[in-house]
Amino acid sequence: MNKAAIPLIVFLLMAGLFLFVLQKINTGEYDPRDIPTELINQKVPDFELVNLLDTTDTVKASDYLGNPWLLNVWGTWCAQCWKEHPYLMFLSRQDVPIVGINWRDDMAEARSMLTSEGNPFVETGFDPKSDAVIELGVYGAPETFLVDASGMIKVKHKGAMSPQVWQEKFQPFFK
Amino acid sequence: MMIRSILLVVLLSISFQASARVAAYEFENSNQESTYNDLINELRCLVCQNQTIADSNAELAQDMKRKTHELVMQGKSKKEISDFMVQRYGNFVQYKPPVTSTTYLLWTGPFIILFIGLFILIKIIRNRKVEKPVELSDNDKSRAADLLNSKGE
């Protein structure tokens, strides 16, 4: 074999590898920034937050023992949250209990989003200082957890919810 | 040109504002302060993943610093606080990951590559053709000697 061809072959191999990985990133199959969660099969942290819509009330994880429920971290500053909002509305109409955590947001803006776009949440905790968010190991929004009837976290999805994500990851727990 | 210089001034003033926003925490003793400073230089910001939370001004990093300070003030040890973060964010949150089965390659990789490099280097040096010195005939040698001697005189 011609020795001069070796650099060219190495280059083509590397270019092929980069293209392959880039494709995976573009289709969302691979996220280099993704950090696997440590909380699967762990008890959901017992956060306690002020209720976004009624500041005299609190939202606690322990209030939801007994049924599977979703925990959705969102903020009005997060574009993907707006994108997934209609689908959360759809899920709530199917009687899927969703508890919201409104993260690092302005209270008035968060309330107005729920008024204009509809409120898919049973309750929403207001978390301006990442108290519950750090407990949950969340580092971006939206993130959605599934907590089973015994209070164990079974699924965590980073990014917007969609029919496909729901069917693949979440639906099996609601039968 | 004018627009450029205005933009420069505006951008510079924004950066000053940003640094002025870094929260200063108070401590009861220097022990707490050094624990806090050690920790924020060892914990990774999850948003800007190649910065420590000390370097990063991301909002999550600020909140993690606040949480770290809170735990330090509660009397938690450095190890306890580090474990607290690892339980929530995984080993990735530590700038110096522990040696486990998953990070084995991470720790040994550089040495493996170093040895591969050394091996290739040695091979290349060994294969290098040694240039043989040009053989001089007796005639050439005496000519060379004559030339050298004549130069001296």
Side-chain angles (χ1 to χ4, degrees):
Chain A
M1 194 180 64
N2 192 348
K3 261 195 168 177
I6 293 176
L8 184 67
I9 291 167
V10 171
F11 167 76
L12 287 176
L13 281 176
M14 286 179 77
L17 177 72
F18 292 157
L19 197 68
F20 174 76
V21 175
L22 264 181
Q23 215 97 55
K24 290 272 178 200
I25 293 173
N26 283 341
T27 56
E29 280 174 71
Y30 171 66
D31 180 4
R33 296 168 54 83
D34 196 29
I35 302 162
T37 181
E38 299 292 306
L39 292 169
I40 299 296
N41 288 326
Q42 303 259 335
K43 217 164 167 33
V44 61
D46 194 18
F47 60 83
E48 187 173 341
L49 294 170
V50 167
N51 190 323
L52 174 70
L53 301 179
D54 176 8
T55 49
T56 59
D57 190 23
T58 54
V59 179
K60 284 187 283 188
S62 54
D63 288 345
Y64 292 90
L65 267 175
N67 284 305
W69 52 286
L70 300 188
L71 180 62
N72 178 265
V73 179
W74 64 284
T76 56
W77 44 267
C78 138
Q80 289 293 314
C81 301
W82 287 83
K83 195 185 149 203
E84 70 168 359
H85 201 83
Y87 191 66
L88 295 183
M89 288 302 294
F90 171 80
L91 287 177
S92 77
R93 284 195 294 272
Q94 312 292 311
D95 291 328
V96 175
I98 311 173
V99 176
I101 289 183
N102 178 249
W103 181 26
R104 266 203 171 268
D105 216 339
D106 176 79
M107 192 175 254
E109 275 179 38
R111 285 176 172 178
S112 91
M113 177 172 167
L114 294 186
T115 311
S116 66
E117 308 297 309
N119 183 359
F121 305 113
V122 190
E123 278 187 306
T124 303
F126 184 61
D127 192 9
K129 289 186 165 175
S130 311
D131 290 319
V133 160
I134 289 177
E135 289 297 327
L136 287 160
V138 166
Y139 63 99
E143 282 193 25
T144 307
F145 294 85
L146 183 139
V147 186
D148 74 2
S150 61
M152 294 291 189
I153 292 177
K154 288 292 175 185
V155 181
K156 171 180 163 170
H157 176 71
K158 195 175 160 289
M161 286 292 279
S162 66
Q164 197 198 350
V165 170
W166 169 257
Q167 270 160 23
E168 280 175 13
K169 294 185 175 177
F170 292 86
Q171 190 152 45
F173 292 90
F174 282 90
K175 273 173 183 167
Chain B
M1 200 56 210
M2 187 66 184
I3 295 170
R4 268 197 173 182
S5 40
I6 290 172
L7 192 69
L8 181 72
V9 171
V10 170
L11 286 177
L12 281 174
S13 58
I14 290 170
S15 69
F16 281 121
Q17 250 181 353
S19 60
R21 271 184 58 213
V22 176
Y25 289 112
E26 286 182 9
F27 299 91
E28 283 161 6
N29 54 53
S30 59
N31 241 351
Q32 290 175 338
E33 192 167 356
S34 71
T35 307
Y36 171 80
N37 283 327
D38 287 352
L39 277 165
I40 63 168
N41 282 298
E42 284 170 20
L43 292 171
R44 183 189 299 275
C45 169
L46 285 307
V47 180
C48 26
Q49 298 183 346
N50 52 0
Q51 282 186 310
T52 61
I53 58 171
D55 291 335
S56 171
N57 224 356
E59 290 175 333
L60 184 62
Q62 290 174 27
D63 287 342
M64 284 172 78
K65 277 183 270 195
R66 196 177 46 79
K67 189 79 198 177
T68 305
H69 176 253
E70 198 181 299
L71 294 171
V72 167
M73 297 312 281
Q74 280 172 21
K76 296 267 195 297
S77 73
K78 199 180 145 187
K79 171 102 173 50
E80 281 172 320
I81 300 170
S82 181
D83 288 348
F84 173 92
M85 292 296 179
V86 170
Q87 269 165 29
R88 281 152 188 81
Y89 288 106
N91 283 330
F92 188 74
V93 77
Q94 289 174 299
Y95 241 89
K96 197 176 169 189
V99 185
T100 64
S101 57
T102 46
T103 57
Y104 211 61
L105 197 63
L106 187 71
W107 283 99
T108 55
F111 298 102
I112 293 172
I113 290 170
L114 178 71
F115 282 118
I116 292 173
L118 278 177
F119 178 75
I120 292 172
L121 187 71
I122 290 168
K123 272 216 120 171
I124 289 173
I125 291 171
R126 283 214 174 141
N127 285 352
R128 210 175 257 169
K129 280 178 196 137
V130 181
E131 267 183 45
K132 283 183 186 165
V134 183
E135 294 277 336
L136 292 178
S137 63
D138 288 345
N139 201 5
D140 286 338
K141 277 184 190 160
S142 62
R143 257 184 70 209
D146 283 349
L147 284 168
L148 287 169
N149 288 336
S150 65
K151 224 178 187 182
E153 283 165 16

